[in-house]
Amino acid sequence: MLVGVALAGMGSCGISNEERFQRSVESMEEVARTTGPGDRTKETPREIGLFVFEDVFRDGDRVYFKLGADMAGTDPYGYVWSPKSPPTDDPEDAAASSFEHVHGPWYRWSDSY
């Protein structure tokens, strides 16, 4: 009986993405503030806080932190740092971008092609 209780409890020991974000946001912001227009990490995944990002890049005033893509590999997602204004979808872009406010200048981001 105790073994079953112990095994059931082990599945809930992982931390949520929200908590992972809270523990990583300070390091992510430091990277966002220092990332220049030509800086990319696509060649080597980058560990920042408790996340491993496939890519980190600046697009204007925003810095994108790409966690991955959907199962087909076409629709990227992650976080975006947008300190000057809430990010909006660019109708000229091929992707439909969505943004969900997380905290301060931080948003969850996903693209759909």
Side-chain angles (χ1 to χ4, degrees), residues 2-3 7 16 20 28 36 40-41 45-46 54 58-59 61 63 67 81 91 94 99 105 108:
L2 287 177
V3 172
L7 288 175
S16 68
R20 189 178 303 219
M28 290 167 61
R40 301 267 328 210
T41 59
R46 185 168 183 182
E54 290 182 5
R58 178 175 291 278
D59 182 11
D61 292 334
V63 177
L67 282 169
W81 181 72
F99 302 96
R108 279 187 199 87

Side-chain angles (χ1 to χ4, degrees), residues 48-113:
I48 303 170
L50 300 177
F51 289 109
V52 176
F53 294 101
E54 290 182 5
D55 197 5
V56 177
F57 61 94
R58 178 175 291 278
D59 182 11
D61 292 334
R62 302 178 195 165
V63 177
Y64 288 81
F65 292 77
K66 179 184 171 189
L67 282 169
D70 67 353
M71 295 296 278
T74 57
D75 296 339
Y77 63 89
Y79 293 94
V80 63
W81 181 72
S82 184
K84 296 199 180 212
S85 63
T88 57
D89 184 33
D90 180 357
E92 305 278 325
D93 192 359
S97 298
S98 64
F99 302 96
E100 176 188 349
H101 186 247
V102 178
H103 171 73
W106 290 97
Y107 299 80
R108 279 187 199 87
W109 145 75
S110 63
D111 281 349
S112 180
Y113 287 91

